[in-house]
PDB file of all heavy atoms in Angstrom:
ATOM      1  N   ASN E 325     -42.384  13.220  -5.020  1.00  0.00           N
ATOM      2  CA  ASN E 325     -42.561  13.560  -3.608  1.00  0.00           C
ATOM      3  C   ASN E 325     -41.333  14.316  -3.096  1.00  0.00           C
ATOM      4  O   ASN E 325     -40.761  13.993  -2.041  1.00  0.00           O
ATOM      5  CB  ASN E 325     -42.806  12.306  -2.767  1.00  0.00           C
ATOM      6  CG  ASN E 325     -43.400  12.639  -1.396  1.00  0.00           C
ATOM      7  OD1 ASN E 325     -43.744  13.777  -1.111  1.00  0.00           O
ATOM      8  ND2 ASN E 325     -43.505  11.616  -0.549  1.00  0.00           N
ATOM      9  N   PHE E 326     -40.925  15.307  -3.869  1.00  0.00           N
ATOM     10  CA  PHE E 326     -39.726  16.097  -3.596  1.00  0.00           C
ATOM     11  C   PHE E 326     -40.116  17.562  -3.485  1.00  0.00           C
ATOM     12  O   PHE E 326     -40.829  18.096  -4.339  1.00  0.00           O
ATOM     13  CB  PHE E 326     -38.711  15.905  -4.725  1.00  0.00           C
ATOM     14  CG  PHE E 326     -37.519  16.832  -4.642  1.00  0.00           C
ATOM     15  CD1 PHE E 326     -36.639  16.753  -3.581  1.00  0.00           C
ATOM     16  CD2 PHE E 326     -37.275  17.762  -5.648  1.00  0.00           C
ATOM     17  CE1 PHE E 326     -35.544  17.602  -3.508  1.00  0.00           C
ATOM     18  CE2 PHE E 326     -36.180  18.615  -5.583  1.00  0.00           C
ATOM     19  CZ  PHE E 326     -35.313  18.532  -4.504  1.00  0.00           C
ATOM     20  N   HIS E 327     -39.652  18.202  -2.419  1.00  0.00           N
ATOM     21  CA  HIS E 327     -40.004  19.590  -2.157  1.00  0.00           C
ATOM     22  C   HIS E 327     -38.739  20.447  -2.210  1.00  0.00           C
ATOM     23  O   HIS E 327     -37.774  20.170  -1.487  1.00  0.00           O
ATOM     24  CB  HIS E 327     -40.681  19.717  -0.789  1.00  0.00           C
ATOM     25  CG  HIS E 327     -41.868  18.818  -0.645  1.00  0.00           C
ATOM     26  ND1 HIS E 327     -43.112  19.117  -1.182  1.00  0.00           N
ATOM     27  CD2 HIS E 327     -41.999  17.595  -0.046  1.00  0.00           C
ATOM     28  CE1 HIS E 327     -43.944  18.142  -0.914  1.00  0.00           C
ATOM     29  NE2 HIS E 327     -43.299  17.212  -0.224  1.00  0.00           N
ATOM     30  N   LEU E 328     -38.768  21.465  -3.045  1.00  0.00           N
ATOM     31  CA  LEU E 328     -37.623  22.360  -3.188  1.00  0.00           C
ATOM     32  C   LEU E 328     -37.747  23.516  -2.203  1.00  0.00           C
ATOM     33  O   LEU E 328     -38.723  24.270  -2.246  1.00  0.00           O
ATOM     34  CB  LEU E 328     -37.536  22.900  -4.616  1.00  0.00           C
ATOM     35  CG  LEU E 328     -36.428  23.935  -4.852  1.00  0.00           C
ATOM     36  CD1 LEU E 328     -35.056  23.321  -4.592  1.00  0.00           C
ATOM     37  CD2 LEU E 328     -36.515  24.492  -6.265  1.00  0.00           C
ATOM     38  N   VAL E 329     -36.771  23.656  -1.330  1.00  0.00           N
ATOM     39  CA  VAL E 329     -36.659  24.818  -0.458  1.00  0.00           C
ATOM     40  C   VAL E 329     -35.893  25.863  -1.259  1.00  0.00           C
ATOM     41  O   VAL E 329     -34.695  25.720  -1.505  1.00  0.00           O
ATOM     42  CB  VAL E 329     -35.925  24.472   0.853  1.00  0.00           C
ATOM     43  CG1 VAL E 329     -35.857  25.695   1.762  1.00  0.00           C
ATOM     44  CG2 VAL E 329     -36.614  23.308   1.561  1.00  0.00           C
ATOM     45  N   ASP E 330     -36.598  26.888  -1.699  1.00  0.00           N
ATOM     46  CA  ASP E 330     -35.998  27.862  -2.616  1.00  0.00           C
ATOM     47  C   ASP E 330     -35.136  28.844  -1.824  1.00  0.00           C
ATOM     48  O   ASP E 330     -35.622  29.829  -1.275  1.00  0.00           O
ATOM     49  CB  ASP E 330     -37.087  28.603  -3.395  1.00  0.00           C
ATOM     50  CG  ASP E 330     -36.524  29.299  -4.626  1.00  0.00           C
ATOM     51  OD1 ASP E 330     -35.286  29.386  -4.736  1.00  0.00           O
ATOM     52  OD2 ASP E 330     -37.312  29.742  -5.467  1.00  0.00           O
ATOM     53  N   THR E 331     -33.849  28.555  -1.780  1.00  0.00           N
ATOM     54  CA  THR E 331     -32.922  29.322  -0.956  1.00  0.00           C
ATOM     55  C   THR E 331     -32.199  30.427  -1.725  1.00  0.00           C
ATOM     56  O   THR E 331     -31.516  31.255  -1.114  1.00  0.00           O
ATOM     57  CB  THR E 331     -31.871  28.380  -0.345  1.00  0.00           C
ATOM     58  OG1 THR E 331     -31.314  27.555  -1.393  1.00  0.00           O
ATOM     59  CG2 THR E 331     -32.499  27.473   0.696  1.00  0.00           C
ATOM     60  N   GLN E 332     -32.341  30.454  -3.039  1.00  0.00           N
ATOM     61  CA  GLN E 332     -31.616  31.464  -3.811  1.00  0.00           C
ATOM     62  C   GLN E 332     -32.187  32.854  -3.532  1.00  0.00           C
ATOM     63  O   GLN E 332     -33.392  33.047  -3.486  1.00  0.00           O
ATOM     64  CB  GLN E 332     -31.678  31.128  -5.297  1.00  0.00           C
ATOM     65  CG  GLN E 332     -30.855  29.898  -5.642  1.00  0.00           C
ATOM     66  CD  GLN E 332     -30.752  29.626  -7.134  1.00  0.00           C
ATOM     67  OE1 GLN E 332     -31.289  30.353  -7.952  1.00  0.00           O
ATOM     68  NE2 GLN E 332     -30.032  28.566  -7.484  1.00  0.00           N
ATOM     69  N   GLY E 333     -31.275  33.809  -3.340  1.00  0.00           N
ATOM     70  CA  GLY E 333     -31.671  35.171  -3.017  1.00  0.00           C
ATOM     71  C   GLY E 333     -31.827  35.430  -1.528  1.00  0.00           C
ATOM     72  O   GLY E 333     -32.231  36.521  -1.125  1.00  0.00           O
ATOM     73  N   THR E 334     -31.488  34.443  -0.703  1.00  0.00           N
ATOM     74  CA  THR E 334     -31.621  34.582   0.748  1.00  0.00           C
ATOM     75  C   THR E 334     -30.466  35.360   1.365  1.00  0.00           C
ATOM     76  O   THR E 334     -30.660  36.165   2.270  1.00  0.00           O
ATOM     77  CB  THR E 334     -31.699  33.185   1.406  1.00  0.00           C
ATOM     78  OG1 THR E 334     -32.825  32.475   0.887  1.00  0.00           O
ATOM     79  CG2 THR E 334     -31.825  33.281   2.918  1.00  0.00           C
ATOM     80  N   LEU E 335     -29.261  35.107   0.884  1.00  0.00           N
ATOM     81  CA  LEU E 335     -28.060  35.637   1.525  1.00  0.00           C
ATOM     82  C   LEU E 335     -27.621  36.973   0.939  1.00  0.00           C
ATOM     83  O   LEU E 335     -27.682  37.180  -0.279  1.00  0.00           O
ATOM     84  CB  LEU E 335     -26.914  34.627   1.393  1.00  0.00           C
ATOM     85  CG  LEU E 335     -27.181  33.233   1.977  1.00  0.00           C
ATOM     86  CD1 LEU E 335     -26.014  32.312   1.671  1.00  0.00           C
ATOM     87  CD2 LEU E 335     -27.443  33.303   3.472  1.00  0.00           C
ATOM     88  N   LYS E 336     -27.153  37.836   1.810  1.00  0.00           N
ATOM     89  CA  LYS E 336     -26.526  39.080   1.399  1.00  0.00           C
ATOM     90  C   LYS E 336     -25.013  38.864   1.308  1.00  0.00           C
ATOM     91  O   LYS E 336     -24.492  37.848   1.775  1.00  0.00           O
ATOM     92  CB  LYS E 336     -26.861  40.195   2.389  1.00  0.00           C
ATOM     93  CG  LYS E 336     -28.361  40.493   2.499  1.00  0.00           C
ATOM     94  CD  LYS E 336     -28.612  41.656   3.423  1.00  0.00           C
ATOM     95  CE  LYS E 336     -30.116  41.914   3.581  1.00  0.00           C
ATOM     96  NZ  LYS E 336     -30.775  42.184   2.289  1.00  0.00           N
ATOM     97  N   VAL E 337     -24.309  39.827   0.729  1.00  0.00           N
ATOM     98  CA  VAL E 337     -22.858  39.699   0.564  1.00  0.00           C
ATOM     99  C   VAL E 337     -22.188  39.417   1.908  1.00  0.00           C
ATOM    100  O   VAL E 337     -21.288  38.568   2.015  1.00  0.00           O
ATOM    101  CB  VAL E 337     -22.277  40.970  -0.078  1.00  0.00           C
ATOM    102  CG1 VAL E 337     -20.753  40.931  -0.073  1.00  0.00           C
ATOM    103  CG2 VAL E 337     -22.794  41.143  -1.506  1.00  0.00           C
ATOM    104  N   ALA E 338     -22.638  40.106   2.957  1.00  0.00           N
ATOM    105  CA  ALA E 338     -22.014  39.949   4.272  1.00  0.00           C
ATOM    106  C   ALA E 338     -22.268  38.588   4.900  1.00  0.00           C
ATOM    107  O   ALA E 338     -21.608  38.224   5.887  1.00  0.00           O
ATOM    108  CB  ALA E 338     -22.517  41.044   5.211  1.00  0.00           C
ATOM    109  N   ASP E 339     -23.206  37.807   4.370  1.00  0.00           N
ATOM    110  CA  ASP E 339     -23.529  36.487   4.929  1.00  0.00           C
ATOM    111  C   ASP E 339     -22.590  35.392   4.441  1.00  0.00           C
ATOM    112  O   ASP E 339     -22.665  34.260   4.923  1.00  0.00           O
ATOM    113  CB  ASP E 339     -24.967  36.100   4.570  1.00  0.00           C
ATOM    114  CG  ASP E 339     -25.996  36.991   5.236  1.00  0.00           C
ATOM    115  OD1 ASP E 339     -25.786  37.375   6.397  1.00  0.00           O
ATOM    116  OD2 ASP E 339     -27.011  37.318   4.586  1.00  0.00           O
ATOM    117  N   TRP E 340     -21.727  35.696   3.472  1.00  0.00           N
ATOM    118  CA  TRP E 340     -20.824  34.691   2.915  1.00  0.00           C
ATOM    119  C   TRP E 340     -19.490  34.707   3.654  1.00  0.00           C
ATOM    120  O   TRP E 340     -18.857  35.753   3.793  1.00  0.00           O
ATOM    121  CB  TRP E 340     -20.583  34.936   1.429  1.00  0.00           C
ATOM    122  CG  TRP E 340     -21.782  34.643   0.585  1.00  0.00           C
ATOM    123  CD1 TRP E 340     -22.717  35.525   0.146  1.00  0.00           C
ATOM    124  CD2 TRP E 340     -22.172  33.363   0.073  1.00  0.00           C
ATOM    125  NE1 TRP E 340     -23.683  34.883  -0.600  1.00  0.00           N
ATOM    126  CE2 TRP E 340     -23.370  33.545  -0.665  1.00  0.00           C
ATOM    127  CE3 TRP E 340     -21.632  32.080   0.172  1.00  0.00           C
ATOM    128  CZ2 TRP E 340     -24.033  32.502  -1.303  1.00  0.00           C
ATOM    129  CZ3 TRP E 340     -22.291  31.035  -0.465  1.00  0.00           C
ATOM    130  CH2 TRP E 340     -23.470  31.240  -1.188  1.00  0.00           C
ATOM    131  N   ALA E 341     -19.057  33.517   4.113  1.00  0.00           N
ATOM    132  CA  ALA E 341     -17.737  33.398   4.726  1.00  0.00           C
ATOM    133  C   ALA E 341     -16.662  33.251   3.662  1.00  0.00           C
ATOM    134  O   ALA E 341     -15.534  33.721   3.833  1.00  0.00           O
ATOM    135  CB  ALA E 341     -17.698  32.192   5.668  1.00  0.00           C
TER     136      ALA E 341
END
Side-chain angles (χ1 to χ4, degrees):
N325 197 7
F326 172 64
H327 305 281
L328 176 62
V329 182
D330 197 348
T331 50
Q332 290 187 0
T334 300
L335 302 175
K336 299 184 182 302
V337 172
D339 293 322
W340 289 96

